[in-house]
Amino acid sequence: MGILQRLSGKDVDQFAKSLAVEISKRYPPSLDQAKEKKISQNRIARVLEDAYGKAIEFKSAKNLGVYRKARLGNTFRWELTELGYSKPFVEMATEGLVVYITRKSPSAQETKAGSDKR
């Protein structure tokens, strides 16, 4: 991957937007804004966890650094806002995304834990 391609965030922006659109298909903004009809927290959690799983795969495939992780989170936040989600939902979904993509992979944690036991 060339240096200019690594600095370009177009692929990150495109992925973040597609992730937000995917969430909107499974949990439309109208349901988030509805006062009388609430969706189960378990369903929302499943929708978000599926999205976070895809973000982790993307992070691994693209080897995202700090800047590109931040860009992913910001673009995701703005896309959810533009789609019409409430501020509390946008904050919660974005915070979850950032936590998931900044955690070390389980295999790296297991390797470290194994070396600590020696």
Side-chain angles (χ1 to χ4, degrees), residues 11-101:
D11 58 336
V12 173
D13 291 345
Q14 196 172 32
F15 175 76
K17 289 176 181 181
S18 70
L19 204 59
V21 168
E22 184 176 318
I23 289 171
S24 74
K25 289 178 182 175
R26 294 183 59 197
Y27 177 58
S30 58
L31 286 178
D32 179 50
Q33 299 289 348
K35 301 275 187 240
E36 67 283 345
K37 186 177 180 183
K38 288 293 176 183
I39 191 168
S40 81
Q41 293 299 314
N42 288 336
R43 181 174 170 202
I44 296 170
R46 279 194 311 271
V47 169
L48 291 175
E49 286 176 3
D50 289 347
Y52 299 158
K54 290 179 181 178
I56 290 170
E57 290 173 13
F58 180 80
K59 177 191 95 166
S60 297
K62 297 293 184 175
N63 197 18
L64 300 182
V66 174
Y67 169 76
R68 289 168 47 104
K69 287 176 189 173
R71 185 172 181 143
L72 176 63
N74 284 329
T75 303
F76 181 72
R77 173 190 309 267
W78 290 116
E79 190 64 21
L80 288 177
T81 301
E82 286 182 26
L83 288 170
Y85 286 100
S86 65
K87 185 174 181 173
F89 178 79
V90 171
E91 294 296 321
M92 184 258 315
T94 304
E95 181 179 341
L97 176 70
V98 171
V99 166
Y100 268 73
I101 63 172

